[in-house]
Amino acid sequence: MTRRLMAGTGWKMNLRTGEVAGYAARLLEQLHAVDTSAIDVFVLPPYTSLGAAATAFGGTPVAIGGQNMHWEEQGAWTGEISAPMLLDAGCRYVELAHSERLQHFGETYERVRSKVDRALATGLTPIVCLGETAEDRREGRSDAVLASQAATALAGQPAQRVPDVVLAYEPRWAIGSSEAASPDYVAARHTTLRALLSERFGTEVAGRTRILYGGSVTPDNGPALVALDDVDGLFVGRAAWHPDGFARIVAEVAAAAQVKSRRSDR
Ligand code: PEP
């Protein structure tokens, strides 16, 4: 089973409106030499830069998305952004449950479940982050935490909708850190997640659902991570805030897609 690989970056609270065109021009110039036809590439700008990003990336292989959204469609929710607003702004994706939302803004997976529903109903692809803390890892409960997060975020979804959700395994201790999780560690967590999907939704659904890895990915460690069987792409923070870094990672994911596709043809 070949899943379409993904290369994406969340800009977090970086890149103002006036900086977007330069980033996009530099990225697209370098991507000219890369065959991205077999992968999905995305950037998640801050809300205020979505308009500029929609213009700069319109008609290119780079899609855009939001970094969060509200679970309701509209209403008295001061300071919030709805799924239809993201769609209006040209988004295809929305990131949910990023560790910084969980840690600093009280996000919960129960809320994430409502957001997944709303995103899917609106036609956005939710990218749901999952990941254990350093303490969870020390106490040997990483897999149990991932299982609980995934089960809560996907609760009530009919099996056929699950592949419309992208999961992103982002160990919280590896985000913004000096080192990514090791390939062996990532492989084990992705195997656990795939098995969980299979148990709950069946092997066909599990085989079609994409699970990305994120957490201190760089152009140097990216190839070994995206080469893993159950890793369906890379989700990048700091290393992609400069377009040259992101271009290199996109090229690595595109190369991995070719290798994986040849392997599955055999
Ligand atoms: C992230 O915040 O989702 C992330 C992966 O960041 P970084 O690559 O900087 O660790």
Side-chain angles (χ1 to χ4, degrees), residues 109-179:
Y109 279 91
E110 278 74 22
R111 283 296 188 214
V112 169
R113 171 173 47 198
S114 319
K115 294 182 182 192
V116 168
D117 278 339
R118 180 66 64 194
L120 290 172
T122 309
L124 292 170
T125 298
I127 301 167
V128 178
C129 303
L130 310 167
E132 78 283 8
T133 62
E135 192 188 342
D136 294 331
R137 180 189 178 204
R138 251 191 328 271
E139 307 277 323
R141 52 174 186 255
S142 302
D143 286 347
V145 166
L146 292 176
S148 153
Q149 292 171 343
T152 306
L154 297 174
Q157 287 306 329
Q160 75 272 12
R161 294 198 84 171
V162 171
D164 296 337
V165 178
V166 174
L167 300 179
Y169 171 52
E170 298 215 318
R172 289 170 69 172
W173 50 269
I175 291 178
S177 119
S178 55
E179 237 184 302

Side-chain angles (χ1 to χ4, degrees), residues 6 63-66 69-73 82-96 114-127 157 161 163-166 210:
M6 305 180 83
I64 63 168
M69 57 166 242
H70 198 271
W71 61 91
E72 289 291 349
E73 199 174 355
S82 71
M85 288 169 182
L86 291 179
L87 203 64
D88 257 2
C91 292
R92 184 186 306 168
Y93 299 100
V94 62
E95 177 180 21
L96 301 173
S114 319
K115 294 182 182 192
V116 168
D117 278 339
R118 180 66 64 194
L120 290 172
T122 309
L124 292 170
T125 298
I127 301 167
Q157 287 306 329
R161 294 198 84 171
D164 296 337
V165 178
V166 174
R210 292 179 289 184

Side-chain angles (χ1 to χ4, degrees), residues 1-5 207-208 232 257 260-262 264-265:
M1 164 91 43
T2 319
R3 293 172 293 272
R4 221 176 137 78
L5 301 193
R208 288 200 294 122
D232 305 316
K260 287 185 174 182
S261 144
R262 277 199 297 274
S264 83
D265 286 346

Side-chain angles (χ1 to χ4, degrees), residues 12 95 98 100 170 174-177 214-217 235-239:
K12 306 195 186 188
E95 177 180 21
H98 187 274
E100 286 146 22
E170 298 215 318
I175 291 178
S177 119
S216 297
V217 171
F235 193 12
V236 192
R238 292 157 297 163

